[in-house]
């Protein structure tokens, strides 16, 4: 926990030392009309958590013992500081740094790529390469959503909260049912609808990220039209 707090504080301090607090969207005035793009992934994530709780409640899960252990509370604090560190670093410092050189859209994809590659640190820390590859791909794709939200809302903080919520739900779902999505169906026996639903659920972040990016383009055009 101490490490995560120090990393989060260091990332924020670097932004202020660079003089990028507003440009990197830490202290900029949010565009509240863009918060609709945060609501949908938040609801999907909460539904995933609710499904895991429902599945676990039909088994032998002892929720009172789980809460008394303090594990959910500790996880929540941990993911919050991790969310601050990663969003400030990747959607604050890196996104703005790339944006200065290659523009916002290319910067979004470049920072998402670096965000994904950075998850190979899990392999360096002892996780198998086979288990790390999917995490790298998922992180890179999810970076599209977080980056698009940062562009559209003009703030990294909605992404911080969404990122923390996602990490919390992933960790708790694995603790409760051993699966993030609760859709671990056999693709050879499940129907087409189940397979399509599972695909959309597992890839909703980049899909919604591209939708948010399209919304950012429309919003930018309206801003330009209003100035003319």
């Amino acid at each position: 926990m101490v490490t995560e707090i120090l990393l989060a504080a260091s990332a924020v301090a670097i932004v202020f030392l660079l003089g990028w607090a507003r440009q990197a969207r830490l202290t900029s005035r949010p565009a509240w009309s863009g918060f609709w793009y945060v609501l949908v992934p938040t609801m999907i994530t909460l539904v995933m958590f609710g499904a895991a709780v429902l599945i676990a409640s039909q088994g032998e899960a002892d929720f009172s013992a789980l809460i008394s252990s303090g594990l959910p509370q500790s996880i929540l604090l941990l993911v919050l500081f991790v969310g601050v560190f990663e969003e400030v670093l990747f959607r604050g410092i890196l996104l703005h740094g790339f944006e200065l050189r290659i523009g916002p859209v290319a910067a979004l994809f470049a920072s998402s790529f670096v965000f994904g590659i950075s998850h190979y640190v899990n392999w360096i820390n002892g996780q198998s390469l086979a288990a790390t590859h999917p995490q790298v791909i998922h992180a890179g794709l999810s970076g599209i959503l977080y980056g698009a939200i940062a562009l559209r809302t003009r703030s990294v903080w909605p992404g911080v909260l969404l990122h923390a919520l996602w990490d919390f739900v992933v960790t708790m779902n694995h603790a409760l049912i051993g699966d993030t999505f609760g859709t671990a169906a056999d693709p050879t026996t499940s129907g087409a609808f189940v397979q399509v639903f599972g695909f959309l659920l597992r890839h909703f972040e980049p899909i919604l990220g591209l939708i948010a990016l399209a919304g950012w383009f429309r919003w930018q055009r309206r801003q330009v039209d209003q100035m003319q």
Side-chain angles (χ1 to χ4, degrees), residues 125-146:
N125 289 334
Q127 183 175 269
S128 71
L129 199 57
T132 305
H133 284 323
Q135 292 178 349
V136 169
I137 295 171
H138 181 269
L141 293 175
S142 67
I144 298 172
L145 174 62
Y146 297 127

Side-chain angles (χ1 to χ4, degrees), residues 161-174:
L161 296 177
L162 181 60
H163 194 154
L165 175 65
W166 170 259
D167 286 348
F168 176 78
V169 169
V170 167
T171 305
M172 289 302 300
N173 280 17
H174 274 276

